[in-house]
Amino acid sequence: MRDVTIPKSEYVPSEKMISKVQDFQEDEELFRYCTLPEILKYVECFTGPNIMAMHTMLINKPPDSGKKTSRHPLHQDLHYFPFRPSNSIVCAWTAMEHIDRNNGCLAVLPGTHKGPLKPHDYPQWEGGVNIMFHGIQDYDKNNARVHLVMEKGDTVFFHPLLIHGSGRNKSQGFRKIISCHFADANCHYIDLKGTNQENVGKEMEEVVCKVYGQKTTSLKDVWAFRGRVVKGKRINL
Ligand SMILES: O=C(O)CCC(=O)C(=O)O
C-alpha cells in the first residue's frame, strides 16, 4: 500500500513509498513472526490449540506529509472479518522500534471490546484517507483514551472489538510494526449481507477482483486463501 498523498505516477516501490505490506503469509522470513512460540503461547489463551494466522501486516507508517494522512482512524478490526466468534480472534501487534505519540503509537479505548460492532465509514478528512482506513464516527468521546508507548519487541494482544487507531507520524523516520490476527480454527464464516459489514465486504471483493484480475470472488474464498494454520489443525476457516 502507498499513502494516499503519493500520486500513482510517482510511485516506485521502496521503503519510502510503501506504507504497508499486507498478506505476507508467503514470505518465509516475515511469516516466521506468526509462528514464534513467544507469540503463540499467549495467542493460544484466546484461540485454543488450533490456531490460524488469518491476516498479516507489516506497517511502515511514513513521516506525515503535513496532510495528516498517516493517522489511522479509530476502528474495530472485526469490521473487516467475516468470521466469528469474536472472542476467539486476537491480534498480536509488535513494535519494531521505539513507538510513542511522536511517531504515531496505538491509541486504544479500554473496555470497548465489551460493546457491539459499530458501523464504520471513511472519515471526512481534508487531506484524504488511505484505502480501507474506515473509522467509527459515534464512539463515546468521554471514554478514556490510552496511548501505548512501546519499545522494540514489545507486543500487545488485543480483542477485535477493541476500538483503536494511531496518530500521525510527526518524526522523520518510518514507524514500523508487525502484526497478525489469529483465530481459532473452529471459527466459522458468516454472511455479511444485511449486516453493518456489508459495504466493507463489497469493497474488499472489489479490491481483490482488481488486484487478481477476476470478475467475481467470494469473501469466504479470499479469507480461506489467506489463512494458514500455525498450530494444531485446520478446521473451518
Ligand atoms: O499500526 C497502526 O498504525 C494501526 C494499524 C491498525 O489499527 C490496523 O491496521 O488495524
Short mmCIF file of all heavy atoms in Angstrom, two decimals, residues 20 55 57 59 61 70 72 75 77 80 93 104-106 133 158 164-166 175 177 181, ligand 1:
data_model
loop_
_atom_site.label_atom_id
_atom_site.label_comp_id
_atom_site.label_asym_id
_atom_site.label_seq_id
_atom_site.Cartn_x
_atom_site.Cartn_y
_atom_site.Cartn_z
N LYS A 20 2.47 0.03 3.81
CA LYS A 20 2.02 -1.21 4.44
C LYS A 20 2.25 -2.40 3.50
O LYS A 20 1.97 -2.31 2.31
CB LYS A 20 0.52 -1.11 4.74
CG LYS A 20 0.00 -2.26 5.58
CD LYS A 20 -1.50 -2.39 5.58
CE LYS A 20 -2.24 -1.41 6.40
NZ LYS A 20 -3.65 -1.84 6.61
N HIS A 55 -4.56 -12.88 9.10
CA HIS A 55 -4.34 -11.57 8.46
C HIS A 55 -3.01 -11.02 8.94
O HIS A 55 -2.81 -10.84 10.14
CB HIS A 55 -5.49 -10.64 8.87
CG HIS A 55 -5.40 -9.28 8.29
ND1 HIS A 55 -5.57 -8.15 9.04
CD2 HIS A 55 -5.14 -8.88 7.03
CE1 HIS A 55 -5.44 -7.09 8.26
NE2 HIS A 55 -5.17 -7.51 7.04
N MET A 57 0.24 -8.17 8.59
CA MET A 57 0.58 -6.81 8.14
C MET A 57 1.94 -6.37 8.69
O MET A 57 2.24 -6.63 9.86
CB MET A 57 -0.45 -5.79 8.66
CG MET A 57 -1.80 -5.84 8.02
SD MET A 57 -2.85 -4.48 8.59
CE MET A 57 -3.10 -4.88 10.30
N ILE A 59 3.49 -2.72 9.00
CA ILE A 59 3.10 -1.33 8.74
C ILE A 59 4.31 -0.41 8.90
O ILE A 59 5.00 -0.42 9.92
CB ILE A 59 1.94 -0.89 9.66
CG1 ILE A 59 0.75 -1.85 9.48
CG2 ILE A 59 1.50 0.55 9.34
CD1 ILE A 59 -0.44 -1.57 10.35
N LYS A 61 4.59 3.10 8.84
CA LYS A 61 3.90 4.41 8.85
C LYS A 61 4.88 5.51 8.44
O LYS A 61 5.87 5.75 9.14
CB LYS A 61 3.37 4.67 10.26
CG LYS A 61 2.37 5.84 10.35
CD LYS A 61 2.16 6.25 11.79
CE LYS A 61 0.99 5.64 12.52
NZ LYS A 61 -0.32 6.06 12.07
N SER A 70 -1.24 10.10 7.66
CA SER A 70 -0.59 8.94 8.31
C SER A 70 -1.38 8.48 9.54
O SER A 70 -1.07 7.45 10.12
CB SER A 70 0.86 9.27 8.69
OG SER A 70 0.90 10.30 9.66
N HIS A 72 -4.39 6.75 11.61
CA HIS A 72 -5.30 5.63 11.34
C HIS A 72 -6.54 5.88 12.19
O HIS A 72 -6.45 5.94 13.42
CB HIS A 72 -4.65 4.29 11.71
CG HIS A 72 -5.28 3.13 11.03
ND1 HIS A 72 -4.59 2.19 10.31
CD2 HIS A 72 -6.59 2.78 10.93
CE1 HIS A 72 -5.44 1.30 9.81
NE2 HIS A 72 -6.66 1.65 10.18
N HIS A 75 -11.12 2.49 14.99
CA HIS A 75 -11.91 1.42 14.36
C HIS A 75 -11.85 0.15 15.20
O HIS A 75 -11.08 0.06 16.17
CB HIS A 75 -11.38 1.14 12.95
CG HIS A 75 -9.99 0.59 12.96
ND1 HIS A 75 -8.87 1.37 13.16
CD2 HIS A 75 -9.52 -0.69 12.84
CE1 HIS A 75 -7.78 0.62 13.15
NE2 HIS A 75 -8.15 -0.63 12.96
N ASP A 77 -11.25 -3.96 14.52
CA ASP A 77 -10.77 -4.84 13.45
C ASP A 77 -11.84 -5.85 12.98
O ASP A 77 -11.83 -6.27 11.83
CB ASP A 77 -9.52 -5.60 13.90
CG ASP A 77 -8.32 -4.67 14.04
OD1 ASP A 77 -8.35 -3.57 13.44
OD2 ASP A 77 -7.37 -5.03 14.75
N TYR A 80 -13.64 -5.83 9.57
CA TYR A 80 -13.08 -6.37 8.32
C TYR A 80 -13.22 -7.90 8.22
O TYR A 80 -12.88 -8.46 7.19
CB TYR A 80 -11.59 -6.00 8.22
CG TYR A 80 -11.36 -4.51 8.16
CD1 TYR A 80 -11.06 -3.78 9.32
CD2 TYR A 80 -11.47 -3.82 6.96
CE1 TYR A 80 -10.88 -2.40 9.27
CE2 TYR A 80 -11.29 -2.45 6.90
CZ TYR A 80 -10.99 -1.74 8.06
OH TYR A 80 -10.82 -0.39 8.01
N TRP A 93 0.38 -7.41 17.99
CA TRP A 93 0.90 -6.18 17.33
C TRP A 93 2.23 -5.87 18.01
O TRP A 93 2.28 -5.59 19.21
CB TRP A 93 -0.12 -5.08 17.55
CG TRP A 93 -0.05 -3.81 16.80
CD1 TRP A 93 -0.77 -3.46 15.69
CD2 TRP A 93 0.72 -2.63 17.14
NE1 TRP A 93 -0.49 -2.16 15.33
CE2 TRP A 93 0.41 -1.63 16.18
CE3 TRP A 93 1.64 -2.33 18.15
CZ2 TRP A 93 0.99 -0.35 16.22
CZ3 TRP A 93 2.22 -1.06 18.17
CH2 TRP A 93 1.90 -0.10 17.21
N GLY A 104 3.52 8.09 16.23
CA GLY A 104 2.21 7.50 15.91
C GLY A 104 1.95 6.17 16.56
O GLY A 104 1.77 5.15 15.88
N CYS A 105 1.91 6.19 17.92
CA CYS A 105 1.64 4.93 18.63
C CYS A 105 0.16 4.57 18.55
O CYS A 105 -0.66 5.36 18.07
CB CYS A 105 2.08 5.05 20.09
SG CYS A 105 1.18 6.29 21.04
N LEU A 106 -0.16 3.39 19.03
CA LEU A 106 -1.56 2.97 19.10
C LEU A 106 -2.27 3.78 20.17
O LEU A 106 -1.69 4.05 21.23
CB LEU A 106 -1.67 1.49 19.50
CG LEU A 106 -1.55 0.39 18.46
CD1 LEU A 106 -1.87 -0.95 19.11
CD2 LEU A 106 -2.46 0.62 17.26
N PHE A 133 -9.13 2.56 5.18
CA PHE A 133 -8.98 3.14 6.52
C PHE A 133 -10.35 3.62 6.99
O PHE A 133 -10.62 4.81 7.09
CB PHE A 133 -7.97 4.30 6.52
CG PHE A 133 -6.53 3.89 6.69
CD1 PHE A 133 -6.06 2.70 6.19
CD2 PHE A 133 -5.63 4.73 7.36
CE1 PHE A 133 -4.72 2.33 6.34
CE2 PHE A 133 -4.29 4.37 7.51
CZ PHE A 133 -3.84 3.17 7.01
N PHE A 158 -4.71 -7.88 21.44
CA PHE A 158 -6.00 -7.24 21.71
C PHE A 158 -7.16 -7.85 20.94
O PHE A 158 -7.00 -8.47 19.89
CB PHE A 158 -5.91 -5.71 21.55
CG PHE A 158 -5.52 -5.20 20.19
CD1 PHE A 158 -6.49 -4.89 19.24
CD2 PHE A 158 -4.19 -5.00 19.86
CE1 PHE A 158 -6.15 -4.40 18.00
CE2 PHE A 158 -3.83 -4.51 18.62
CZ PHE A 158 -4.81 -4.21 17.69
N HIS A 164 -9.58 1.15 18.47
CA HIS A 164 -8.19 1.63 18.48
C HIS A 164 -7.89 2.33 17.17
O HIS A 164 -8.63 2.21 16.19
CB HIS A 164 -7.23 0.45 18.69
CG HIS A 164 -7.22 -0.50 17.52
ND1 HIS A 164 -8.26 -1.39 17.29
CD2 HIS A 164 -6.34 -0.68 16.50
CE1 HIS A 164 -8.01 -2.07 16.20
NE2 HIS A 164 -6.85 -1.67 15.68
N GLY A 165 -6.78 3.05 17.17
CA GLY A 165 -6.30 3.72 15.96
C GLY A 165 -4.88 4.17 16.24
O GLY A 165 -4.30 3.76 17.26
N SER A 166 -4.33 5.00 15.39
CA SER A 166 -2.99 5.51 15.69
C SER A 166 -2.85 6.93 15.16
O SER A 166 -3.54 7.32 14.20
CB SER A 166 -1.90 4.60 15.12
OG SER A 166 -1.97 4.57 13.71
N ARG A 175 7.74 4.56 11.06
CA ARG A 175 7.37 3.81 12.28
C ARG A 175 6.93 2.41 11.89
O ARG A 175 5.89 2.23 11.27
CB ARG A 175 6.23 4.57 12.98
CG ARG A 175 5.88 4.00 14.34
CD ARG A 175 4.40 3.76 14.51
NE ARG A 175 3.91 2.75 13.61
CZ ARG A 175 2.64 2.37 13.52
NH1 ARG A 175 1.74 2.95 14.25
NH2 ARG A 175 2.25 1.42 12.67
N ILE A 177 5.89 -1.60 12.51
CA ILE A 177 5.34 -2.63 13.40
C ILE A 177 5.01 -3.85 12.54
O ILE A 177 4.85 -3.73 11.32
CB ILE A 177 4.06 -2.17 14.13
CG1 ILE A 177 2.86 -2.01 13.16
CG2 ILE A 177 4.27 -0.89 14.90
CD1 ILE A 177 1.95 -3.19 13.08
N HIS A 181 -3.40 -11.22 12.89
CA HIS A 181 -4.66 -11.59 13.54
C HIS A 181 -4.75 -13.11 13.51
O HIS A 181 -4.71 -13.71 12.43
CB HIS A 181 -5.85 -10.99 12.80
CG HIS A 181 -5.99 -9.53 13.04
ND1 HIS A 181 -5.48 -8.59 12.18
CD2 HIS A 181 -6.57 -8.85 14.05
CE1 HIS A 181 -5.75 -7.39 12.66
NE2 HIS A 181 -6.40 -7.51 13.79
O1 LIG B 1 -0.33 0.33 13.14
C1 LIG B 1 -1.19 1.19 13.15
O2 LIG B 1 -0.91 2.35 12.97
C2 LIG B 1 -2.63 0.82 13.38
C3 LIG B 1 -2.99 -0.28 12.50
C4 LIG B 1 -4.35 -0.79 12.70
O3 LIG B 1 -5.00 -0.49 13.66
C5 LIG B 1 -4.92 -1.69 11.71
O4 LIG B 1 -4.36 -1.83 10.61
O5 LIG B 1 -5.97 -2.27 12.01
#
